[in-house]
Amino acid sequence: MTTRPYVLCIALLLASPAVLRAQVVRGTFVDHDTGEPIRGAHVTLRAPDGTAAASTNTDAGGAFEVKAPAAGTYTLRGDRIGFAPTLSPALSLSPGETATFRLVGSSQRVMLAAITVQAGARCETRPAEGRQTATLWEEARKALLNAKATAQARLYQYTAQRVDRRLDPRTGAVVSAKVDTTRGMSGNPYVSVPGARLAEEGYVVTDGDTLDFRAPDAGALLSDEFLDQHCFRVKAPPAGQEALIGLAFEPVRDRRLPDVQGTLWIDRQTAELRRMEYAYANAPLRTADEAGGEMDFRRLPSGSWIVSRWRIRMPLVTPAPPDAKRAGSTPLDVARLPAYRLIGYQEQGGELTAIYTRGGAPVSVTAGAQLAGVVFDSTRSVPLRGAKVRIDGTQYTADADSAGRFTFRDLPDGTFNVTFSGPRLDSLGYAPQPVRVSLARGATTRQDLAVPGMARVLAAGCGDSVNVGAVLAGSVRADSTGEPVVGAHVTAAWEAAGGTPAGERMAISDFRGVYRLCGAPSGVPVTVRLATQGTTMSVSALRLAADRPSLQDFLVPRPLLASAAQAPAPAAGIPLHVRVTAAETGQPLSGATVRLGSALAPQTTDARGGATFPRVAAGTYLVTVADPQLGTRTVPAVIGADGPELELRVPAGGGASLLAVVRSPVRLAALTARAAVRGTLAQVGFEQRKRLGIGSFISGADLERHGNAPLSSIFRYIPGVRVVDYYPPSTLRRGRPMLEHRIQPTRGGGDAAGNPGCFMSVFMDGVLILDGSPEEGHDVDANLLANIKAVEVYRSMSEIPTQFRGTRSLCGVVVLWTKTGEDDRAAASASH
């Protein structure tokens, strides 16, 4: 046991002289005609059988040095892009010898201009010398060998801008992006799986229900396995790029594993490799049709080649419902794969923005894309100074100057949605629709943005329905101070006349005191009333115009506002009786805890399901019922001043909702089930998702400034969504239409046939309360804004986090976190 290390040490000492006495060939590679050194050429030391024993790139002085693995006979081969290869005579190396050789480059140029694309040409595997495909491959191979050697030698330090983004599966627009800068990087920008493994396993592999898409690098393209399993043909360039000629590659006919196919694009004039693009072949999913990637190659002044830009696009899939058809194009793995549904694409890539030598000297800088424009306010015919312009899904923002001008520099390329915001837009209650722009690196894209005219701004909140009708808008303010009045009800009513059926519409003033009423008829007398705290102000009949919004402001007397400002006080009032029963049987539920707001002590239901709050003042409260088996549920309730009785019906067996029966004059909104989720907002993942920047998030002061406005009002300021008035079919069939406010993505609106379009699913404290069904009734305004702590909005399936995905969430998701739920979470956490 003790002698083994000693023997090992002796063996290492005996081996060391051979390492120190390596065989070396040094020399220079020079031009045949001028004798000038050739920099950036690739020199290979070849064994007698033609295999590479060692290789390197020549430096700025044309010098090279290669080490032979053993004594013997070798030859040197010099590869210079655009010229025929150069071969030396046989060189005999003795053990430990250092030989010097001057390698003179060939003067025979490679002519690519004469290469033509032949229709119906056969795809060739390892094309023979003299073939057009062989000529193109030889030039591409030189650049790939140089790039591989440059990366291995780590001659340069790079600063790279890396991008990880998600794309909409239908439009290709960027919906989210994470951009960071990596400094001090050297070597390959990314490293592929070795060629032997790619040949054995394929370019798409599965791990359970996960798909792993692999990308080839220079080493993989140069491997013998790649050359054996792919064939080549000449490809014509796309329109406008006639200076290039393509060498297309694809898997051989009997290749069944998932593989890659693509094109190496070569400059006809210089024979330099410019770009490699690829897609997937034999992929196990049709969703891989748009997957693929590309690499851009760049020659540095020293002659070294690098990958200056790279990208890989992969499909994002989720297991499909059991009845979905499986997608696939090969029998290899599909039989063992679950069915998948495409929810988006993930794109990873980067670009070198700065290059330095080992000593820190700068080599070059790559310019990114630029975006510039002007933001204009058409409502006042002036530039919108101070507007905040944002590129959706990224951290990039820019402020418009006094002339409304904005500029972005060094952006990643791609297709993005651009939006803007600012105090003027807030005061108008208008959220502009995103504008799509395509950015190209090194180019400046011009895109002006504008707030539309006042008529369009006021009508924008009414959605895209063809039945919007006339629009009435205005403000509600105190007559003495001019302060906005929040929560006032504005109703427009009309009698049947000239074929117009009788009806009415209602709107509620938001935190700015502004209301917008849509869907009233034009050309007939409309009576407008303002109601606040039981008192009504009436306006004489108006005739609304169909082609422009009508304006009607209200000034509310001060006494009316004073009474409205009185808050419920637990020290005054009359008893409130609460009874909790089972929905189907009507049997009382005992042992349930009932809370009325936060100031009153909670009560526990007795054997009859009853509980009494001794002194309750009139006002609006949050009534919470907590049952040991059914969880916690909360409903907003308006309590009158004449001793009402409140009855709550809980579905048996842990049903999805807690129903409410109201004894007049109490008005009680629909109550929805909500399970208690333990933990603060940070603990339930809100803060982490917000930092990722995927989706829209409102919390804290941004939410509180809306005051007691309807909950739906906050969605009017979130790009990509809208609030719509909706009557569930179930209420229409019962002959008692009930107006609801639903949330829609702007791309999922109704059509001319009256179809309602897409509704967003709604989660409250982590529990699904509305799955987007047109049938299921739920008014988003049934949830008091004052009880909401934070809001998350995900506008498409590609944005939705895994925990909020479901079979009915294709149209997006709204996630509500309540203050009551936070109290429940904090209490539960403290008790543990």
Side-chain angles (χ1 to χ4, degrees):
M1 295 285 294
T2 58
T3 60
R4 184 169 298 174
Y6 176 79
V7 174
L8 177 61
C9 180
I10 294 296
L12 291 175
L13 290 174
L14 292 175
S16 60
V19 175
L20 296 175
R21 298 172 53 217
Q23 300 70 225
V24 177
V25 180
R26 293 174 180 163
T28 55
F29 191 15
V30 298
D31 184 82
H32 178 276
D33 298 326
T34 67
E36 294 293 321
I38 301 173
R39 56 189 177 183
H42 192 73
V43 177
T44 305
L45 184 67
R46 306 203 310 173
D49 61 357
T51 60
S55 65
T56 188
N57 293 336
T58 59
D59 62 17
F64 63 88
E65 179 179 301
V66 288
K67 296 180 180 180
T73 301
Y74 298 89
T75 57
L76 291 172
R77 170 172 170 149
D79 285 307
R80 178 187 183 189
I81 292 176
F83 290 83
T86 299
L87 295 177
S88 75
L91 303 175
S92 181
L93 298 178
S94 302
E97 179 184 1
T98 297
T100 302
F101 190 85
R102 187 171 184 264
L103 191 63
V104 180
S106 172
S107 61
Q108 180 183 349
R109 287 187 173 272
V110 175
M111 306 300 294
L112 301 186
I115 291 181
T116 58
V117 180
Q118 300 175 1
R122 184 174 60 88
C123 192
E124 302 173 328
T125 305
R126 288 189 179 267
E129 185 175 350
R131 304 286 295 176
Q132 291 188 135
T133 48
T135 301
L136 289 175
W137 168 247
E138 189 61 30
E139 296 309 302
R141 174 182 166 275
K142 294 174 185 177
L144 293 171
L145 284 169
N146 191 303
K148 180 181 178 181
T150 299
Q152 291 175 339
R154 298 182 177 271
L155 299 176
Y156 300 96
Q157 298 291 318
Y158 309 110
T159 296
Q161 184 184 71
R162 293 182 178 272
V163 181
D164 187 347
R165 55 195 181 190
R166 295 179 69 176
L167 311 179
D168 186 282
R170 294 169 296 179
T171 66
V174 177
V175 297
S176 66
K178 180 182 180 181
V179 182
D180 58 44
T181 300
T182 302
R183 293 177 174 84
M185 184 183 69
S186 62
N188 280 328
Y190 69 88
V191 180
S192 174
V193 173
R197 282 187 57 192
L198 291 172
E200 179 182 353
E201 301 171 2
Y203 285 76
V204 183
V205 296
T206 62
D207 181 9
D209 59 357
T210 300
L211 296 179
D212 180 16
F213 285 76
R214 297 167 168 178
D217 62 1
L221 295 173
L222 290 167
S223 67
D224 288 336
E225 292 84 2
F226 187 88
L227 296 177
D228 289 336
Q229 294 174 349
H230 293 80
C231 60
F232 300 86
R233 61 163 56 95
V234 180
K235 183 176 180 179
Q241 300 185 42
E242 286 74 14
L244 301 178
I245 185 68
L247 178 64
F249 57 87
E250 64 186 58
V252 294
R253 184 170 299 179
D254 58 352
R255 177 76 165 163
R256 292 292 178 262
L257 286 175
D259 214 300
V260 288
Q261 59 188 16
T263 306
L264 295 158
W265 293 105
I266 303 169
D267 191 302
R268 279 185 180 270
Q269 187 68 30
T270 64
E272 295 179 340
L273 177 62
R274 298 301 183 196
R275 187 175 73 253
M276 188 273 287
E277 58 190 25
Y278 65 92
Y280 291 92
N282 302 334
L285 298 172
R286 293 193 186 98
T287 55
D289 291 346
E290 298 298 324
E294 59 187 26
M295 291 188 294
D296 285 3
F297 294 86
R298 182 175 178 180
R299 187 173 189 172
L300 301 180
S302 64
S304 296
W305 283 83
I306 61 172
V307 176
S308 61
R309 178 175 173 269
W310 62 96
R311 176 183 65 87
I312 178 172
R313 177 184 291 188
M314 301 160 285
L316 292 173
V317 295
T318 186
D323 59 345
K325 294 182 178 179
R326 291 183 174 181
S329 56
T330 82
L332 180 67
D333 294 317
V334 175
R336 297 193 300 271
L337 285 175
Y340 287 96
R341 181 175 68 252
L342 179 68
I343 61 174
Y345 289 95
Q346 181 177 15
E347 197 171 85
Q348 296 178 342
E351 183 171 3
L352 302 184
T353 57
I355 305 172
Y356 306 90
T357 64
R358 280 178 175 172
V363 176
S364 64
V365 176
T366 303
Q370 295 193 55
L371 174 65
V374 172
V375 187
F376 192 77
D377 182 3
S378 301
T379 65
R380 299 181 298 185
S381 298
V382 295
L384 189 60
R385 61 183 300 175
K388 179 75 71 176
V389 184
R390 184 179 75 252
I391 300 179
D392 275 2
T394 77
Q395 77 275 32
Y396 293 109
T397 62
D399 294 325
D401 62 17
S402 58
R405 295 171 298 200
F406 66 91
T407 303
F408 291 90
R409 293 181 175 86
D410 292 329
L411 297 173
D413 63 334
T415 302
F416 295 86
N417 288 330
V418 180
T419 57
F420 63 100
S421 60
R424 174 62 177 167
L425 290 149
D426 290 343
S427 65
L428 292 171
Y430 176 72
Q433 294 300 305
V435 176
R436 184 171 300 170
V437 297
S438 295
L439 305 177
R441 62 192 182 97
T444 299
T445 301
R446 175 82 184 193
Q447 180 63 61
D448 294 333
L449 307 169
V451 181
M454 185 60 75
R456 285 186 57 191
V457 168
L458 292 175
C462 296
D464 297 335
S465 171
V466 295
N467 298 316
V468 163
V471 177
L472 177 67
S475 63
V476 184
R477 297 186 177 275
D479 64 351
S480 56
T481 65
E483 291 295 317
V485 177
V486 179
H489 290 60
V490 179
T491 304
W494 57 93
E495 301 293 335
T500 301
E504 68 175 27
R505 292 279 182 174
M506 186 189 73
I508 304 175
S509 60
D510 61 17
F511 73 100
R512 301 163 297 121
V514 174
Y515 73 91
R516 182 188 290 106
L517 190 149
C518 311
S522 59
V524 301
V526 176
T527 300
V528 180
R529 296 183 177 88
L530 171 75
T532 176
Q533 292 296 311
T535 301
T536 301
M537 298 176 61
S538 181
V539 177
S540 57
L542 304 175
R543 289 183 180 269
L544 306 181
D547 58 346
R548 65 183 186 278
S550 301
L551 302 179
Q552 176 63 57
D553 294 335
F554 291 91
L555 292 177
V556 182
R558 181 168 186 153
L560 196 60
L561 291 176
S563 63
Q566 294 175 357
I574 57 178
L576 173 67
H577 304 287
V578 176
R579 186 167 181 262
V580 182
T581 62
E584 284 101 355
T585 65
Q587 295 298 313
L589 293 180
S590 62
T593 301
V594 183
R595 293 186 179 91
L596 194 64
S598 59
L600 299 175
Q603 302 293 323
T604 302
T605 57
D606 56 23
R608 298 181 179 180
T612 299
F613 291 87
R615 304 182 68 85
V616 179
T620 301
Y621 294 85
L622 290 175
V623 181
T624 301
V625 178
D627 182 85
Q629 284 77 39
L630 301 177
T632 303
R633 290 84 186 269
T634 300
V635 61
V638 179
I639 307 300
D642 52 355
E645 181 177 290
L646 180 62
E647 182 177 346
L648 305 174
R649 292 184 179 176
V650 183
S657 62
L658 178 64
L659 308 180
V661 177
V662 182
R663 309 302 186 200
S664 182
V666 180
R667 293 185 290 110
L668 184 64
L671 183 62
T672 307
R674 182 172 52 80
V677 180
R678 295 182 179 179
T680 63
L681 287 179
Q683 291 171 325
V684 298
F686 176 87
E687 299 297 344
Q688 180 183 5
R689 292 188 292 273
K690 184 177 180 180
R691 284 193 297 271
L692 291 175
I694 302 174
S696 296
F697 300 82
I698 305 177
S699 61
D702 291 336
L703 195 61
E704 292 172 359
R705 68 188 181 88
H706 291 265
N708 292 319
L711 177 58
S712 61
S713 66
I714 65 172
F715 296 99
R716 304 184 190 277
Y717 306 96
I718 299 176
V721 301
R722 59 167 167 248
V723 181
V724 296
D725 293 345
Y726 179 68
Y727 291 91
S730 58
T731 66
L732 296 175
R733 288 193 293 268
R734 291 195 299 265
R736 299 179 60 186
M738 182 178 294
L739 176 64
E740 294 181 358
H741 295 93
R742 295 282 193 96
I743 312 300
Q744 278 187 334
T746 52
R747 288 197 298 262
D751 55 28
N755 298 316
C758 237
F759 291 131
M760 302 179 77
S761 300
V762 180
F763 284 78
M764 180 178 286
D765 290 336
V767 175
L768 182 67
I769 64 173
L770 176 64
D771 69 355
S773 167
E775 283 287 343
E776 182 178 343
H778 182 86
D779 186 355
V780 70
D781 283 336
N783 309 288
L784 289 185
L785 179 58
N787 189 40
I788 302 300
K789 180 72 173 179
V791 178
E792 304 174 47
V793 178
Y794 303 99
R795 290 157 292 195
S796 64
M797 191 67 179
S798 60
E799 291 187 0
I800 303 172
T802 304
Q803 63 267 42
F804 301 125
R805 287 182 187 167
T807 58
R808 299 297 296 272
S809 58
L810 296 176
C811 300
V813 163
V814 172
V815 182
L816 306 175
W817 300 101
T818 67
K819 296 177 182 177
T820 305
E822 185 177 54
D823 293 339
D824 292 340
R825 295 190 292 271
S829 178
S831 66
H832 287 74

